[in-house]
Amino acid sequence: MINKNTSLRMQSIVFIGFMGVGKTTIGQKVAQKLYRDFVDIDREIEKEFNMPTTEIFKTFGEKVFREKEKSMIDSFSKQQLKIISVGGGAFLQEDIRNICLSNCIVFYLDLSWDYWKERIGLLIDSRPVLQSRTLEEIEELFYTRQEIYSYHHSKVNTNDLDVDEVADFIVDSLKVAWDIYEPLK
Ligand code: S3P
């Protein structure tokens, strides 16, 4: 479902995956290596509301957050040469999945539960979706969410890799794809 109107080399790259898998950190690193601008959709939403995500959820509710998430992603994914990190719940919306898959190259950052659960303490304060859930409920959410991440163009398992290794893998695989499908003359 890749957009045939924009050259593959120009298409923006979108990172998806569960909260805290490293979409922002890895996205920033890939942006640096490819000399592209990085966009974190959550930060863009926070800038617009002028408050952190937890406050947006509390004050306006999740529905308002999700609507803003969709319009932000719609606008950024149609721009070229961006590296975009979207929130872990964005792909719940079919419209967002379709927008991203048809305009961008979508990478799924896959981290196993046993590795992910070690990070929970670092995430809980800033992730409203995790708050007021037990560990068992979070685990259930983690596994239920895997279905929405199955919509991607490419997947990287990051369990035993550091940020640079993941970013290098992504950049190398992009370069291979660009050379195969759009060789430089
Ligand atoms: C959410 C993930 C968060 C943020 C919001 C909701 C989710 O983004 O969009 O708190 O529903 O999974 P990260 O995946 O960047 O943590």
Side-chain angles (χ1 to χ4, degrees):
M1 249 224 281
I2 290 218
N3 189 345
K4 298 280 177 289
N5 300 321
T6 307
S7 102
L8 204 60
R9 289 177 185 270
M10 302 292 282
Q11 281 182 353
S12 290
I13 292 152
V14 168
F15 287 107
I16 63 164
F18 201 63
M19 284 160 271
V21 294
K23 300 181 294 285
T24 299
T25 317
I26 291 165
Q28 280 168 333
K29 195 50 98 175
V30 171
Q32 220 175 34
K33 288 177 190 278
L34 291 175
Y35 304 96
R36 291 191 182 193
D37 288 336
F38 174 74
V39 180
D40 182 321
I41 296 294
D42 285 340
R43 292 299 80 76
E44 295 299 320
I45 299 171
E46 289 179 337
K47 271 195 251 165
E48 192 147 323
F49 283 89
N50 197 25
M51 58 176 78
T53 301
T54 34
E55 288 306 313
I56 303 172
F57 269 62
K58 265 190 223 147
T59 314
F60 300 101
E62 181 170 349
K63 190 165 177 283
V64 169
F65 177 88
R66 297 296 176 198
E67 277 161 10
K68 182 55 74 184
E69 184 173 47
K70 184 160 122 184
S71 65
M72 285 277 178
I73 293 175
D74 185 51
S75 126
F76 280 108
S77 68
K78 288 174 180 157
Q79 297 176 29
Q80 298 183 338
L81 295 171
K82 299 271 182 265
I83 304 289
I84 305 166
S85 156
V86 306
F91 264 37
L92 288 168
Q93 301 189 60
E94 191 184 352
D95 285 350
I96 295 185
R97 297 200 297 260
N98 291 338
I99 292 165
C100 291
L101 289 163
S102 57
N103 291 291
C104 307
I105 301 173
V106 177
F107 268 91
Y108 165 37
L109 300 181
D110 176 29
L111 182 71
S112 305
W113 169 254
D114 284 339
Y115 287 77
W116 185 87
K117 70 174 194 254
E118 301 299 321
R119 302 183 180 184
I120 195 161
L122 298 169
L123 303 171
I124 199 101
D125 286 346
S126 55
R127 305 312 199 276
V129 173
L130 300 179
Q131 290 159 8
S132 78
R133 280 189 155 97
T134 64
L135 186 63
E136 289 69 34
E137 286 165 345
I138 293 173
E139 183 175 6
E140 198 187 322
L141 180 72
F142 181 92
Y143 285 110
T144 323
R145 284 279 183 89
Q146 300 309 306
E147 203 252 321
I148 60 168
Y149 307 135
S150 67
Y151 299 93
H152 58 254
H153 295 117
S154 196
K155 166 174 147 172
V156 198
N157 182 282
T158 64
N159 283 353
D160 293 306
L161 302 177
D162 66 28
V163 172
D164 265 302
E165 288 171 323
V166 179
D168 284 339
F169 175 86
I170 290 166
V171 169
D172 290 347
S173 64
L174 281 167
K175 285 183 177 167
V176 169
W178 290 334
D179 286 343
I180 292 173
Y181 296 107
E182 284 176 3
L184 293 172
K185 298 197 176 83

